Amino acid sequence: MILINLMPHREAARKRRRENFYTTLGAAAMIGGVAAGVIYLWYQTQLSSQHGKNSFLQAENKRLDNQIKDIATLQAEIASLRSRQEAVENLQSDRNLPVHLLNELVRQVPEGIYITSMQQDNRNVTLKGVAQSNERVSELLRNLGNNSPWLTKPELIEIVASNVALSQREQRRVANFTMRVALTRPTDAASAAAGGTPAAAASGVAKK
């Protein structure tokens, strides 16, 4: 027996293909949307993480900047305190310099020289005196330049010959001299004075 299908099977097949196509297209669109959503969320997570890292780095940079400022301030304060300490130590040491000056003059002035006056201006000391001869003055210069740790750089400013009356009939020829010498510390010979010292005068320092 021959069966003949009189239904429009071609139309039904096309309908089924269209339905399958639309179903596949919808599924692909849904899968694509889900994938796009997942990728979008992943990128958003990465961006949020990077923003968090950037914020952390910025906060750390600010903290380090503040620490650097604090360190610079501490270094400036330390330098200021050291400068004050050195100034106090120098002043304390300078208080004893006149004593050392007198002691050195007593030790270094040779026989035949009389110191009549001295004047201190900061670290420079001007000496005036009378010597029996020019050789005595030269000896004093050598002593001050070579034998004294407190006195350096002796410089003869002036030497003038004159006569001194020992009695009404007797006179002696002497040399009036003026010299300059630098007063310094043995441990810091090159340091400059932190402040000026008032000029001091004294007389009568002598050694026969």
Side-chain angles (χ1 to χ4, degrees), residues 148-165:
S148 175
W150 297 94
L151 302 175
T152 59
K153 299 179 182 179
E155 177 186 1
L156 182 63
I157 299 175
E158 182 183 33
I159 184 168
V160 178
S162 63
N163 294 323
V164 175

Side-chain angles (χ1 to χ4, degrees), residues 20-137:
N20 291 335
F21 174 75
Y22 289 137
T23 301
T24 304
L25 182 64
M30 183 178 296
I31 294 173
V34 172
V38 170
I39 293 173
Y40 175 78
L41 291 176
W42 183 80
Y43 277 115
Q44 285 296 112
T45 302
Q46 294 296 320
L47 288 175
S48 299
S49 176
Q50 188 62 43
H51 286 314
K53 292 178 181 179
N54 292 341
S55 299
F56 175 76
L57 291 176
Q58 291 176 355
E60 288 297 313
N61 287 335
K62 290 182 180 179
R63 186 175 64 85
L64 290 176
D65 290 339
N66 293 331
Q67 290 180 354
I68 291 173
K69 291 180 181 179
D70 294 339
I71 291 173
T73 302
L74 289 176
Q75 289 178 344
E77 292 178 356
I78 290 173
S80 177
L81 290 175
R82 286 179 178 174
S83 177
R84 293 179 183 177
Q85 180 181 0
E86 290 178 359
V88 171
E89 290 176 352
N90 289 338
L91 290 175
Q92 185 67 25
S93 178
D94 289 346
R95 291 176 57 185
N96 299 325
L97 288 181
V99 177
H100 293 294
L101 172 61
L102 295 176
N103 288 336
E104 288 300 310
L105 287 178
V106 171
R107 292 175 53 193
Q108 304 303 333
V109 173
E111 295 182 359
I113 288 185
Y114 298 86
I115 303 297
T116 59
S117 68
M118 63 180 177
Q119 184 176 6
Q120 181 181 350
D121 182 11
N122 198 2
R123 293 295 183 85
N124 295 320
V125 180
T126 302
L127 302 175
K128 293 184 179 181
V130 180
Q132 293 180 355
S133 63
N134 294 342
E135 288 75 12
R136 299 294 186 182
V137 178

